[in-house]
Amino acid sequence: AGADACAGGREAVRRIRGDLPVLGADEESGEARSARGRNDPPPRRPFLASGIARPDRFREAALARFPAAAGEAVFPDHHPSGAADVSWLLSEASRRGADAVLVTGKDAVKLAPAWPEETLLLWILPVAFRPRDPESLLEMVRTLVTGPDFPA
């Protein structure tokens, strides 16, 4: 999230409850990895799939690494993915000439248990949020969990 997103978050929190602190964070995507936990060669033409609140962020990060994506499916946030979704994703990805399906870590947790072994590989593009001020975040957590007198 950029500075503008943080400013918008701060303003929204102030309107609701002005006494709460808002800390900034930056979103970073990591290296894509195979959901099988193996050292599989990375896909060249993955089909993108996500069921998150901001699919545009996933799309941007995925296309930065895999510009030749075969297409995309966007499910609603908190979509309860299951076997029917796996079947549809495999069919659609194959139809579009994909060599893998690339998802978020959140979606992989739901899809991987139903993902067949001998099909297109399921790949994960992890996303992390890095606090801009980790010491302040740690202090806030300490205070919330143990009170202000917790030893550092």
Side-chain angles (χ1 to χ4, degrees), residues 58-89:
F58 171 72
R59 180 184 317 109
E60 281 180 28
L63 290 175
R65 286 166 174 72
F66 303 101
E72 178 183 24
V74 176
F75 296 99
D77 193 17
H78 303 292
H79 179 71
S81 298
D85 296 305
V86 168
S87 179
W88 183 85
L89 283 169

Side-chain angles (χ1 to χ4, degrees), residues 75-141:
F75 296 99
D77 193 17
H78 303 292
H79 179 71
S81 298
D85 296 305
V86 168
S87 179
W88 183 85
L89 283 169
L90 288 168
S91 174
E92 188 64 15
S94 294
R95 187 180 74 75
R96 293 179 178 233
D99 59 354
V101 176
L102 182 68
V103 299
T104 68
K106 175 183 168 184
D107 296 309
V109 169
K110 299 174 192 175
L111 294 168
W115 205 266
E117 181 70 25
E118 301 300 320
T119 60
L120 290 174
L121 293 180
L122 181 64
W123 275 72
I124 302 166
L125 184 63
V127 177
F129 292 91
R130 306 277 182 236
R132 292 185 182 157
D133 184 358
E135 289 303 316
S136 291
L137 177 60
L138 183 57
E139 186 58 36
M140 286 172 56
V141 170

Side-chain angles (χ1 to χ4, degrees), residues 7-85:
R10 281 188 188 93
E11 183 56 35
V13 168
R14 279 191 190 110
R15 281 194 305 266
I16 297 167
R17 181 136 173 235
D19 61 327
L20 292 177
V22 176
L23 298 178
D26 295 305
E27 183 176 305
E28 300 173 357
S29 58
E31 289 301 314
R33 60 182 167 78
S34 170
R36 295 192 308 187
R38 298 183 189 159
N39 193 17
D40 295 312
R44 289 192 297 246
R45 189 170 157 74
F47 184 79
L48 313 179
S50 64
I52 56 175
R54 299 286 307 269
D56 53 316
R57 290 182 176 173
F58 171 72
R59 180 184 317 109
E60 281 180 28
L63 290 175
R65 286 166 174 72
F66 303 101
E72 178 183 24
V74 176
F75 296 99
D77 193 17
H78 303 292
H79 179 71
S81 298
D85 296 305

